[in-house]
């Protein structure tokens, strides 16, 4: 799958829209997508990451929030695969700069929406 120019979605990102979308689609999206998006969201709030990486993260999260993307979110299962691809692509780009405490914070938040079996799918995040 060819990734879209997700930086063109940077203007779609807002903290409130992100929280609303994630809480609304969490179960349908799956723990892996939610975990990746939470890591990026919490990393965005960190002062330990550069402005270039923050801009890329904002673009990816804007793409997630936007109803207009390559595969519309309304299409069951397939609708969120492009969102996951973008999130994982950006997550790989910034992974070495992500504080382990952020990963733990994201994992802890998953417990609000998922049971332990569902959370287990994050163990193979990049697969």
């Amino acid at each position: 799958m060819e990734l879209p120019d997700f930086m063109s979605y940077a203007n779609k990102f807002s903290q409130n829209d992100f929280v609303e979308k994630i809480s609304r689609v969490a179960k349908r999206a799956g723990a892996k997508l939610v975990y990746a998006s939470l890591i990026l969201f919490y990393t965005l709030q960190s002062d330990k990451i550069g402005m270039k990486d923050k801009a890329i993260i904002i673009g990816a999260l804007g793409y997630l929030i936007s109803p207009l993307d390559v595969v519309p979110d309304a299409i069951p299962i397939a609708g969120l695969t492009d969102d996951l691809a973008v999130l994982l692509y950006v997550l790989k780009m910034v992974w070495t700069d992500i504080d382990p405490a952020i990963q733990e914070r994201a994992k802890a938040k998953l417990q609000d929406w998922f049971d332990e079996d569902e959370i287990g799918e994050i163990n193979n995040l990049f697969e």
Side-chain angles (χ1 to χ4, degrees):
M1 171 177 18
E2 186 175 326
L3 293 176
D5 176 18
F6 53 85
M7 288 307 296
S8 64
Y9 291 86
N11 64 339
K12 304 282 186 207
F13 175 77
S14 77
Q15 184 169 336
N16 289 338
D17 289 344
F18 171 79
V19 171
E20 188 276 327
K21 170 105 182 209
I22 287 298
S23 61
R24 183 171 40 86
V25 303
K27 280 290 194 178
R28 184 169 62 102
K32 191 178 280 193
L33 183 141
V34 174
Y35 182 59
S37 63
L38 286 172
I39 290 173
L40 291 173
F41 179 71
Y42 294 144
T43 299
L44 184 62
Q45 298 170 0
S46 171
D47 60 353
K48 297 177 183 175
I49 193 156
M51 292 304 294
K52 179 183 172 201
D53 287 341
K54 284 187 178 193
I56 293 167
I57 291 170
I58 288 171
L61 294 177
Y63 185 81
L64 172 68
I65 292 169
S66 177
L68 303 173
D69 51 27
V70 174
V71 181
D73 294 346
I75 298 172
I77 301 172
L80 294 170
T81 56
D82 62 319
D83 296 318
L84 180 59
V86 167
L87 293 173
L88 292 178
Y89 177 78
V90 171
L91 195 55
K92 279 185 177 182
M93 290 176 64
V94 299
W95 189 253
T96 57
D97 296 326
I98 294 175
D99 188 327
I102 288 175
Q103 295 172 44
E104 288 303 314
R105 182 177 176 198
K107 188 174 183 179
K109 184 65 177 168
L110 288 180
Q111 295 174 351
D112 291 347
W113 296 306
F114 301 96
D115 61 33
E116 285 301 314
D117 289 341
E118 293 167 316
I119 292 173
E121 74 181 68
I122 69 168
N123 294 329
N124 302 314
L125 186 60
F126 295 113
E127 293 178 15

